[in-house]
């Protein structure tokens, strides 16, 4: 078996990448994790930077290799650099057992890890485990605790970055289906923020951004009054991504 | 002469740090730069990460070493990783001339650089050049062009991060004198944003955040009507730093 773990001479030493991929499904915010072989622990999809590539290219390549996901918009958010973070990394014994004659010194070094996050449409993802893991699966953000080394800190850091981004950037296009109701959009915001929002204030504020089109269609078969369906106005959404929401200065 | 450049065995390879230190003076946003010896070019105060320290500790240590500044709150904002960025770095000949028998291979490697930024009170700073530079000085942000390698991108990236931060975080405490007028505060925002703001909207919005105390004092000796002086309400300012401005979700 040939794996990227063999070729560690092609990577920069001391630098790794970990990606937090968020999806939204059935009113839950989920994160994509790999369940490691023989460990009953999860890990973020991560890897190393080739000597001739940017960290952005590395993050895309790693995510594709580890999960089969392609063309994901990844954003770097923070570097994690505790000097102790890579001590006793439990993936090293797995690499050793996969490749018995490997020079393990590359992996035993100290690593700083560059955290990236992405928002993806849950239904489009078909996660594939890599050779270190028995499965790759969506885990509810509240249950994503049983992870290796500092991956909890990286997940929390990504969530914090996402919450901050809600203040100046539109969100939802990659997380919701094409047509959605106002309560579904509000639930997305509430799930990311971890708190309840006032229904009328939310609606007033989100409509003021001019990024939604109300359709002449209603969701049928739900309790109470049938709610209208909305879709994102992609031209205005794109403008707001570039220039910030109108609530800015 | 003994300099930190001698001891490159104590640093992680491939990783550098560059800090963009902003100050505000006479209605201008300024950035702290080192003028390099024999080059007529400027560089950001930067350096390397010791094998046993976090990147945050490294950034603080480097800024103190390079500029004399202590206890600055530095925030990491982005990693710069173009594979070509460290080719032909013009500081390498300066290091060679300072330390003729140095093993230069450490410096010739590819480096990714972690960008930090800080906001400091202009009047408190007494910049000191290090041994690679003839001076350390404040340069107007619009004039900070004649810089080495990708330091222009790093300065622009820091400015962008600062602009984004204006949307969810209070700003000004480390940039303005203790007492200031509303037009002075507005000018700070306008200078960071690079655009003019409506006077009445600005005043209404900034007052709604509840982070200002209006004093029973007016600025005298200025043209037109004497404007009131304000100071930050430090308790509410601190709360807004932690929880975000009230304009958030």
């Amino acid at each position: 078996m040939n794996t990227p773990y063999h070729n560690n001479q092609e990577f920069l030493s001391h630098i790794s990448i970990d990606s937090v991929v968020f999806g939204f499904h059935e009113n839950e915010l989920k994160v994509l994790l790999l369940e490691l072989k023989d460990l009953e622990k999860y890990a973020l999809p991560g890897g190393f930077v080739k000597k001739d590539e940017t960290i952005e290219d590395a993050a895309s390549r790693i995510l594709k290799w580890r999960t089969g996901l392609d063309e994901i918009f990844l954003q770097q958010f923070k570097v994690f650099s505790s000097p102790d973070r890579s001590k006793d990394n439990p993936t090293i014994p797995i690499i050793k057992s996969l490749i018995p004659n490997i020079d393990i010194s590359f992996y035993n070094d100290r690593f700083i890890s560059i955290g990236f996050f992405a928002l993806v449409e849950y239904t489009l993802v078909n996660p594939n485990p890599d050779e270190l893991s028995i499965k790759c699966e969506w885990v509810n953000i509240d249950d994503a605790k049983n992870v290796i080394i500092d991956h909890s800190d990286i997940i929390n850091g990504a969530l914090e970055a996402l919450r901050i981004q809600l203040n100046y950037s539109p969100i939802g296009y990659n997380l919701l289906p094409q047509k959605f109701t106002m309560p579904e959009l509000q639930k997305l915001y509430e799930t990311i923020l971890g708190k309840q929002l006032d229904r009328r204030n939310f609606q007033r504020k989100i409509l003021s951004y001019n990024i939604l089109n109300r359709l002449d269609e209603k969701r049928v078969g739900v309790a109470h009054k049938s709610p209208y369906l909305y879709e994102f106005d992609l031209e205005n959404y794109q403008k707001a991504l570039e220039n910030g929401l109108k609530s800015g200065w």
Side-chain angles (χ1 to χ4, degrees), chain A residues 62-95:
Chain A
I62 290 162
L63 200 64
K64 180 164 180 161
W65 159 53
R66 288 257 197 176
T67 67
L69 295 173
D70 208 351
E71 301 197 5
I72 299 292
F73 178 60
L74 283 154
Q75 297 171 263
Q76 42 158 312
F77 67 95
K78 194 178 173 188
V79 181
F80 295 82
S81 70
S82 160
D84 295 333
R85 63 178 296 284
S86 26
K87 275 184 189 154
D88 303 318
N89 185 332
T91 59
I92 294 178
I94 308 180
I95 297 171

Side-chain angles (χ1 to χ4, degrees), chain A residues 17-236:
Chain A
I17 283 181
D18 284 297
S19 291
V20 181
V21 181
F22 291 113
F24 189 67
H25 186 62
E26 292 182 345
N27 286 337
E28 287 188 357
L29 188 66
K30 292 172 184 288
V31 58
L32 202 56
L33 295 177
L34 297 159
E35 186 177 343
L36 293 169
K37 277 183 176 153
D38 309 324
L39 272 183
E40 294 179 1
K41 273 189 181 271
Y42 286 95
L44 290 167
F48 309 106
V49 183
K50 286 186 184 173
K51 287 178 177 166
D52 60 354
E53 71 185 349
T54 64
I55 55 170
E56 287 80 11
D57 289 344
S60 297
R61 176 183 52 74
I62 290 162
L63 200 64
K64 180 164 180 161
W65 159 53
R66 288 257 197 176
T67 67
L69 295 173
D70 208 351
E71 301 197 5
I72 299 292
F73 178 60
L74 283 154
Q75 297 171 263
Q76 42 158 312
F77 67 95
K78 194 178 173 188
V79 181
F80 295 82
S81 70
S82 160
D84 295 333
R85 63 178 296 284
S86 26
K87 275 184 189 154
D88 303 318
N89 185 332
T91 59
I92 294 178
I94 308 180
I95 297 171
K96 270 188 190 160
S97 73
L98 272 173
I99 317 165
N101 59 347
I102 196 170
D103 173 9
I104 206 70
S105 60
F106 174 86
Y107 300 101
N108 276 333
D109 249 332
R110 175 184 167 193
F111 279 90
I112 67 166
S113 193
I114 304 167
F116 282 79
F117 76 94
L119 308 173
V120 305
E121 196 174 327
Y122 183 90
T123 53
L124 293 184
V125 174
N126 189 7
N128 290 309
D130 76 340
E131 70 275 34
L132 296 195
S133 37
I134 51 172
K135 53 185 166 183
C136 174
E137 62 179 358
W138 290 105
V139 177
N140 185 309
I141 186 103
D142 295 326
D143 300 329
K145 311 274 186 219
N146 187 22
V147 293
I148 61 167
I149 51 174
D150 61 354
H151 287 198
S152 247
D153 296 337
I154 300 178
I155 293 168
N156 290 336
L159 187 58
E160 195 180 321
L162 183 58
R163 285 176 179 168
I164 284 175
Q165 196 161 309
L166 283 191
N167 288 306
Y168 62 88
S169 191
I171 230 163
Y173 178 58
N174 289 319
L175 291 173
L176 292 170
Q178 203 204 331
K179 297 175 184 181
F180 49 85
T181 65
M182 190 59 74
E184 285 163 357
L185 183 61
Q186 180 173 341
K187 189 69 196 173
L188 170 64
Y189 275 71
E190 290 179 335
T191 305
I192 292 172
L193 292 168
K195 67 178 182 188
Q196 295 212 302
L197 300 171
D198 178 76
R199 186 179 62 79
R200 270 181 297 187
N201 282 345
F202 177 80
Q203 177 154 338
R204 184 182 46 73
K205 189 158 180 172
I206 200 85
L207 288 175
S208 77
Y209 294 151
N210 220 10
I211 55 171
L212 294 174
N213 291 328
R214 197 177 84 174
L215 304 173
D216 284 334
E217 261 179 272
K218 292 185 174 187
R219 171 85 82 232
V220 291
V222 295
H224 314 299
K225 215 172 63 172
S226 302
Y228 275 105
L229 286 167
Y230 290 82
E231 65 180 12
F232 287 111
D233 180 318
L234 288 188
E235 199 178 320
N236 287 348

